[in-house]
Amino acid sequence: MVQLSTIVLAAASVLPSLTQAAGLHSSAVAKGKLYFGTATDNGELSDTAYVAQLGNTDDFGQLTPGNAMKWDATEPSQNTFSFNNGDVIANLAAKNGQKLRCHTLVWHSQLPNWVSSGSWTNATLIAAMKNHITNVVTHYKGKCYAWDVANEVLNEDGTYRDSVFYKVIGEAFLPIAFATAAAADPSAKLYYNDYNIESPGAKASGAQRIVKLVKQYGAKIDGVGLQAHFIVGSTPSQSSQSTNLAAFTALGVDVAYTELDIRMNLPSTSAQLAQQSADYQSTIAACMGNTRCIGMTIWDWTDKYSWVPSTFSGQGDACPWDSNLVKKPAYAGILAALGGTPSSTVTTTLVTTTTSANNGGGTGVPLYGQCGGLGWTGGKVCATGTCKYQNDWYSQCL
Ligand SMILES: O[C@@H]1[C@@H](O)[C@H](O[C@@H]2CO[C@@H](O[C@@H]3CO[C@@H](O[C@@H]4CO[C@@H](O)[C@H](O)[C@H]4O)[C@H](O)[C@H]3O)[C@H](O)[C@H]2O)OC[C@H]1O
């Protein structure tokens, strides 16, 4: 009996090093990335529990406003600017010590009517676009780590989308936009941002053409944002994403995952949640494998406020936390790809420590419902070979 107590106390004395939990952002930074972050939106900021986790800088070192900096929000009528909602999020990020990705300056969507339906000439639209960019970027000067200068200007085949900007100005609207943003805030990183450019293909090639175009005009472009609005089970493979990232970074720009979420048909099943975890993990791993993939942002962190259900009928559950703000298996998948240390309870650690002779550790990929792989701190093998997902990690044998 005395001997057993001694063993338990000895195990407890090493607990801090065994149970030190590192969150998503801390783990990303420890591996040389600038941030792991999340989008947020003004309507969510009255939810106290939501705001508490949003400000948890162990998980989130960066925020992106989901809507507050778009053209319809910042310049609803010509030359009348409104920064109230954007300021709320910029100030919150500053208060929390989080980087701010600013989103977005030139986009065909969420444009006020005066832009999308105006009677423009080449000269008047260039002037209006430059005025918008100059005012908005100047207002946030010094506060934005990066700006998504242009968003989604490509069709799926890599040709230009038929936006008012392309129709009236032609492709020159892109270098003009980047040059204008650079003049207003020389220290902000300037990004081209799009979806379905996360694996090689015509649209990714189109984005690479844009990088070259902007550079050819002598304007600054620092990076390409890959939105990564994926679907469970059809997320591009890690190798395809890695090849794709390398094609961008070979052009001398940074890359970042800017709007990552992975949706599924509802209602979700445990198999879908397991696949979602694997899909998040392979995507984050692709970024981790490229030194110029500087950060990762999820498009909000909880299903409670995800944009997905209102946009894609019958789909949802796209985030790493569920609508009760509880971590899903996806969280563990992301953390494993970041090389982070999962949190575990004292009980788990003690059991793990005293059964280390059965340690099944190993270097495998941790998947929902399995244990003994990377990220399962003690490497404990359950009698059944499976673990129960509880709290925020696989903490009990079934
Ligand atoms: O409150 C929401 C905002 O959260 C929302 O933010 C935008 C969300 O994503 C970006 O734009 C969308 C990107 O996905 C496109 O659909 C894709 C169609 O192809 C599929 O293969 C792919 O999986 C889909 O993602 C949407 O058509 C785009 O709108 C954009 O950068 C964010 O600003 O905006 C609407 C607000 O109500």
Side-chain angles (χ1 to χ4, degrees):
M1 186 63 187
V2 172
Q3 267 184 332
L4 180 60
S5 302
T6 306
I7 291 166
V8 169
L9 281 174
S13 69
V14 297
L15 277 177
S17 60
L18 289 173
T19 59
Q20 190 72 43
L24 305 181
H25 174 64
S26 302
S27 299
V29 169
K31 289 282 159 65
K33 300 302 177 190
L34 283 183
Y35 60 82
F36 189 97
T38 180
T40 188
D41 217 341
N42 298 77
E44 302 155 19
L45 301 180
S46 54
D47 180 336
T48 313
Y50 172 88
V51 171
Q53 172 58 26
L54 185 70
N56 175 358
T57 53
D58 194 24
D59 277 325
F60 305 127
Q62 175 270 320
L63 299 183
T64 304
N67 285 296
M69 293 185 183
K70 292 173 179 174
W71 199 316
D72 61 355
T74 52
E75 193 184 3
S77 53
Q78 189 162 16
N79 212 29
T80 301
F81 290 88
S82 168
F83 298 115
N84 295 341
N85 281 350
D87 287 353
V88 167
I89 293 173
N91 292 339
L92 181 63
K95 189 186 94 182
N96 292 339
Q98 295 162 313
K99 289 189 190 307
L100 188 67
R101 285 199 90 260
C102 293
H103 173 83
T104 177
L105 295 168
V106 180
W107 187 28
H108 68 278
S109 184
Q110 294 183 260
L111 265 184
N113 276 340
W114 70 266
V115 181
S116 51
S117 309
S119 297
W120 299 109
T121 66
N122 183 288
T124 58
L125 187 55
I126 289 175
M129 184 182 77
K130 289 174 75 171
N131 187 53
H132 177 76
I133 293 171
T134 300
N135 275 279
V136 176
V137 176
T138 301
H139 180 82
Y140 291 109
K141 186 176 180 181
K143 296 182 176 171
C144 301
Y145 164 71
W147 264 109
D148 288 331
V149 175
N151 197 33
E152 302 175 4
V153 312
L154 294 169
N155 295 314
E156 294 304 299
D157 65 359
T159 59
Y160 287 111
R161 187 188 289 274
D162 205 21
S163 70
V164 64
F165 305 104
Y166 183 66
K167 277 192 289 196
V168 176
I169 305 171
E171 68 178 4
F173 84 87
L174 285 160
I176 293 170
F178 276 85
T180 308
D185 186 352
S187 61
K189 302 287 185 188
L190 304 183
Y191 276 65
Y192 175 68
N193 193 52
D194 212 331
Y195 62 88
N196 291 347
I197 59 164
E198 299 84 5
S199 53
K203 197 170 184 184
S205 298
Q208 288 148 24
R209 191 183 70 238
I210 288 172
V211 172
K212 292 176 199 160
L213 173 83
V214 174
K215 289 188 172 204
Q216 276 161 8
Y217 270 75
K220 182 176 93 125
I221 178 167
D222 298 292
V224 174
L226 300 95
Q227 293 186 7
H229 293 293
F230 290 146
I231 300 171
V232 162
S234 52
T235 295
S237 69
Q238 182 180 333
S239 68
S240 150
Q241 294 196 57
S242 300
T243 302
N244 186 60
L245 293 177
F248 281 107
T249 57
L251 300 177
V253 289
D254 291 336
V255 286
Y257 283 92
T258 53
E259 305 186 17
L260 176 60
D261 55 20
I262 309 182
R263 60 188 187 267
M264 63 185 75
N265 291 329
L266 298 176
S268 62
T269 63
S270 56
Q272 283 180 303
L273 291 169
Q275 185 61 49
Q276 184 186 50
S277 180
D279 289 348
Y280 265 107
Q281 184 171 341
S282 58
T283 300
I284 299 300
C287 181
M288 297 307 284
N290 187 311
T291 51
R292 292 206 71 170
C293 186
I294 55 91
M296 298 136 278
T297 307
I298 49 178
W299 205 245
D300 226 320
W301 54 273
T302 163
D303 294 333
K304 185 173 185 179
Y305 296 119
S306 170
W307 72 302
V308 168
S310 63
T311 307
F312 303 98
S313 177
Q315 296 186 311
D317 286 1
C319 300
W321 277 257
D322 71 16
S323 53
N324 294 314
L325 315 188
V326 174
K327 289 171 185 165
K328 291 155 60 179
Y331 182 92
I334 297 170
L335 191 61
L338 294 171
T341 310
S343 62
S344 69
T345 63
V346 169
T347 306
T348 301
T349 305
L350 287 174
V351 170
T352 296
T353 305
T354 54
T355 57
S356 58
N358 291 328
N359 192 324
T363 56
V365 176
L367 291 174
Y368 179 60
Q370 297 180 352
C371 61
L374 184 69
W376 173 251
T377 43
K380 181 174 182 281
V381 176
C382 297
T384 58
T386 58
C387 305
K388 181 181 176 188
Y389 182 73
Q390 191 184 52
N391 300 324
D392 60 358
W393 196 246
Y394 311 121
S395 55
Q396 278 189 353
C397 293
L398 283 174

